[in-house]
Amino acid sequence: MSISASVLIVVVVLLRSVAVHKLPRLLFLVLWGIVLARLLVPVSFPILPQLSAPAEIVDSAHNLNAHPAAVYPLSDKTAVHTGILTNDIEVPADSGGWLELEPKLLITLWLAGAVLLLMALLVIYYRSKRELRTALPLQGSHPVIEAWLTRHPLRRTLSILTYDRIDTPLTCGVLHPKIILPKSLDTDNESAMDYILTHEYMHIRHFDAVWKLAAAAALCLHWFNPLVWLMYVYLNRDMEMVCDARVINKIGAEHKADYALCLLAVAEQKGRFTLLYNGFSKNATRERIMSIMKLKKMTVLTAAISLILVLGAVSAFAEQSNGEESSVSAESSVEMNAVESDVNAGLHSGASSASSEQGGAVSDFNYDALKDYMAYGLTYDKAKDRFLYNGKHVRLFMDQDFKNEGNFNKFYYDGNGAADYKVVREKDNKISIIAEVNESELQALGKTYGFALKDGGLQFEDIE
C-alpha cells in the first residue's frame, strides 16, 4: 500500500515540477486524492477487466479436480495442513526466533510512531481550538462583511470572527465553518476583504478541511515514509493554488494583479495553525503568484491530457494484480497447496502438484514439483508431462517429514496416474528408497492425514 503510493507520489512530484503551470491546477489535487486513497484504503478495487481468470479459492471438502487451477488452503484439522511443501531444508532449531520477533517488533515500532504523531496532532488541534474560542464575531457591525455574506450564500452556517493573536486569516470547522480574521486587518478595505474572504470561502465551500484531515491521517499511518511527508507539503501547496484559481474564476481575470498583491501583503505576516487549518498565509508564495499570473482557461487539449493522467493513475494503482491475489500465505509451516488439473479431457495430462520453492512461493507445474527425487529412480516423461517410477505413471507421491511428525516435505497428485508412492527415509532423514503404496496402506495414510482418493479424484477431509 505504502510502496505503490510512494511510486505515485514520485510520479506526481515529477509531473508537477515540469507542468505545474501548464496543466489545470485541479489535476494535481485529484492526483493527490488518488494517493491519499491508496494510503488510507487497505484494499484494492478492480478497475480494468481481468484478462485471465484468477486462481480460485476452494473449500476443503470440494473436489480438487473440478477446477482448472486452484490455490488450496488446507483445513487446520488435517495433518496435511502442516506439511512442508518445499524441498528438504535443514533449519537450525533456534533460527526462527528473530524471524518471529522481527514482525512483532516492526509492528510495535510502527504503532508507537503512529500513536505519538496522532497524539501530537490532537494536542495541537485542541490547544488551537481552545485558543480560538475567544475570537469575537464581526458580522452585524461591519457593513462590508454583511454585504459580502449576502453575495456568498452557504448552506452551512458561516461565522466570521476576529482574533488578536493571529496574523493571517484562516478557516476552521467542517459542519460549522468559521473564518477568523486577525484584529489588525483593515476590515474597511472592501477590495482586500473581498479577496481574502472569497479565498477562505472557497476553502470552506470545497471542504478543504477534510483534505487536511485525510492528509493528517495518512501521515499518522505512514509516518515512517518520507515521501508521504513530501506529499503533505505539496498537497497543501496545490490546495492553495487550486483555491487561488477558483477565486480568480469568481472575481474575474482582470483582478489577477490586485489579488496577487493582496496575497503578497498577507504573506509577509507569520501564519499560525497551518497544520490542520486552511489560511490565506505564506505557503510557497512565489509559486502561487506565478500560478495566478499564468492562469488560463482550460482547453480541450489540457482537459484530455488531465483525463488520461487521472485514468492512468487510477488503473495503475487502484487495481490489485492477479499475482498478489493468487498468493496466499499462512502462519503454519505450510504456506499453501497448489493443485492443477485439466478440464479438457483427453487433451492434456490433468496433472496436479503441490510444491513450492524455498521462499514459500508456489513453483511451476509439473517438472519442478518432483525433480529433486529423480536421483532416486523417478523419471519425467516430457512428451506427456508426467512422472514415472519403474515404468508406472505416478498418481500420488508423498514424502513424509519424520523430524516433524505429521508434516510433508512433498505431496504431489496427478489425476491421470496409476500408481501411488511414498518416500522411505532412514533415521538420519536421508532418502532410502521410493516404495509403492498398496490400497490398504493408502487408505490408512488417507485416514491419518485427512485425504481420500474417490471416483471424483483427490479430496481433503477433516479429521475427527
Side-chain angles (χ1 to χ4, degrees):
M1 188 167 67
S2 186
I3 295 175
S4 59
S6 298
V7 175
L8 184 54
I9 290 172
V10 173
V11 172
V12 176
V13 170
L14 292 176
L15 178 64
R16 192 183 183 280
S17 65
V18 298
V20 67
H21 301 307
K22 298 176 183 178
L23 294 173
R25 312 305 186 265
L26 186 59
L27 166 65
F28 297 98
L29 197 59
V30 172
L31 292 177
W32 291 131
I34 297 173
V35 174
L36 283 176
R38 190 61 179 159
L39 290 170
L40 297 176
V41 180
V43 296
S44 299
F45 302 96
I47 303 299
L48 298 179
Q50 298 288 343
L51 298 180
S52 60
E56 184 177 358
I57 306 301
V58 299
D59 200 60
S60 61
H62 289 178
N63 184 352
L64 301 184
N65 298 309
H67 307 279
V71 175
Y72 184 78
L74 299 177
S75 169
D76 289 338
K77 294 183 180 181
T78 65
V80 180
H81 179 70
T82 59
I84 300 175
L85 305 179
T86 62
N87 298 329
D88 298 332
I89 307 170
E90 294 294 334
V91 182
D94 59 346
S95 63
W98 170 247
L99 294 176
E100 294 177 359
L101 176 63
E102 187 178 12
K104 295 180 181 178
L105 179 61
L106 292 176
I107 291 174
T108 302
L109 290 175
W110 167 79
L111 188 60
V115 170
L116 286 175
L117 182 56
L118 177 62
M119 290 177 61
L121 291 176
L122 288 176
V123 168
I124 294 172
Y125 173 76
Y126 282 109
R127 280 185 177 179
S128 59
K129 185 178 181 180
R130 183 179 60 184
E131 192 173 345
L132 292 174
R133 284 178 182 175
T134 60
L136 301 175
L138 268 177
Q139 59 261 47
S141 58
H142 290 77
V144 172
I145 293 176
E146 288 298 322
W148 182 88
L149 284 172
T150 303
R151 298 194 306 270
H152 298 80
L154 194 68
R155 290 184 179 181
R156 292 166 287 165
T157 303
L158 175 61
S159 303
I160 300 180
L161 311 172
T162 182
Y163 188 54
D164 59 355
R165 294 186 180 181
I166 60 173
D167 300 307
T168 59
L170 58 88
T171 63
C172 61
V174 177
L175 299 178
H176 304 285
K178 299 178 181 65
I179 298 177
I180 303 178
L181 304 174
K183 191 174 182 180
S184 58
L185 189 67
D186 183 8
T187 55
D188 294 325
N189 187 333
E190 186 172 354
S191 61
M193 288 299 296
D194 186 43
Y195 299 149
I196 293 172
L197 291 175
T198 303
H199 180 95
E200 304 303 333
Y201 171 80
M202 290 301 174
H203 279 309
I204 293 171
R205 182 179 177 182
H206 295 279
F207 293 92
D208 286 350
V210 176
W211 283 89
K212 284 235 173 184
L213 291 174
L219 278 183
C220 291
L221 292 175
H222 302 270
W223 57 268
F224 54 88
N225 190 342
L227 289 174
V228 177
W229 291 87
L230 183 66
M231 176 219 66
Y232 184 84
V233 173
Y234 279 119
L235 171 62
N236 281 279
R237 289 188 181 185
D238 291 331
M239 194 185 306
E240 292 298 329
M241 287 197 292
V242 169
C243 188
D244 293 333
R246 288 167 175 163
V247 172
I248 298 301
N249 291 334
K250 177 77 174 178
I251 64 178
E254 64 274 11
H255 296 284
K256 287 196 296 186
D258 293 336
Y259 179 77
L261 288 173
C262 181
L263 174 63
L264 272 176
V266 175
E268 291 177 355
Q269 309 298 324
K270 295 181 179 179
R272 297 172 62 193
F273 310 115
T274 57
L275 189 61
L276 296 174
Y277 297 109
N278 297 106
F280 196 97
S281 59
K282 185 175 182 180
N283 187 350
T285 307
R286 183 174 179 272
E287 185 180 45
R288 288 177 61 186
I289 291 176
M290 288 181 63
S291 175
I292 292 169
M293 302 311 296
K294 292 183 178 181
L295 189 64
K296 297 178 181 179
K297 290 185 177 181
M298 184 184 300
T299 64
V300 175
L301 178 61
T302 56
I305 294 174
S306 301
L307 181 61
I308 292 172
L309 289 171
V310 170
L311 291 178
V314 170
S315 62
F317 294 93
E319 192 175 63
Q320 194 171 30
S321 66
N322 291 339
E324 292 175 351
E325 290 178 349
S326 63
S327 177
V328 180
S329 61
E331 292 182 0
S332 174
S333 58
V334 60
E335 298 293 333
M336 61 181 67
N337 184 12
V339 180
E340 181 185 22
S341 63
D342 198 319
V343 293
N344 299 319
L347 295 180
H348 301 288
S349 67
S352 302
S353 67
S355 177
S356 68
E357 296 296 341
Q358 294 182 5
V362 177
S363 68
D364 294 333
F365 308 100
N366 221 349
Y367 172 72
D368 288 341
L370 301 179
K371 65 179 181 180
D372 296 324
Y373 300 88
M374 294 177 68
Y376 302 94
L378 198 67
T379 59
Y380 177 65
D381 183 356
K382 186 175 182 181
K384 296 185 178 181
D385 189 28
R386 63 179 183 173
F387 281 98
L388 303 173
Y389 189 76
N390 291 336
K392 296 181 181 180
H393 186 176
V394 176
R395 180 177 63 169
L396 193 63
F397 187 93
M398 297 168 288
D399 181 6
Q400 297 167 269
D401 183 2
F402 293 104
K403 286 186 175 180
N404 299 284
E405 185 177 356
N407 292 357
F408 278 100
N409 291 316
K410 191 72 64 174
F411 189 97
Y412 170 92
Y413 175 71
D414 182 342
N416 292 335
D420 306 313
Y421 296 92
K422 70 175 183 179
V423 175
V424 178
R425 292 179 176 268
E426 298 175 357
K427 292 183 179 180
D428 58 359
N429 208 33
K430 291 183 178 180
I431 295 177
S432 174
I433 60 171
I434 296 176
E436 187 171 357
V437 179
N438 58 37
E439 188 64 27
S440 60
E441 188 177 2
L442 181 63
Q443 291 179 3
L445 286 170
K447 187 176 180 180
T448 302
Y449 292 106
F451 68 86
L453 286 173
K454 300 181 179 180
D455 293 339
L458 177 65
Q459 294 181 356
F460 288 97
E461 301 170 344
D462 289 342
I463 299 176
E464 298 297 336

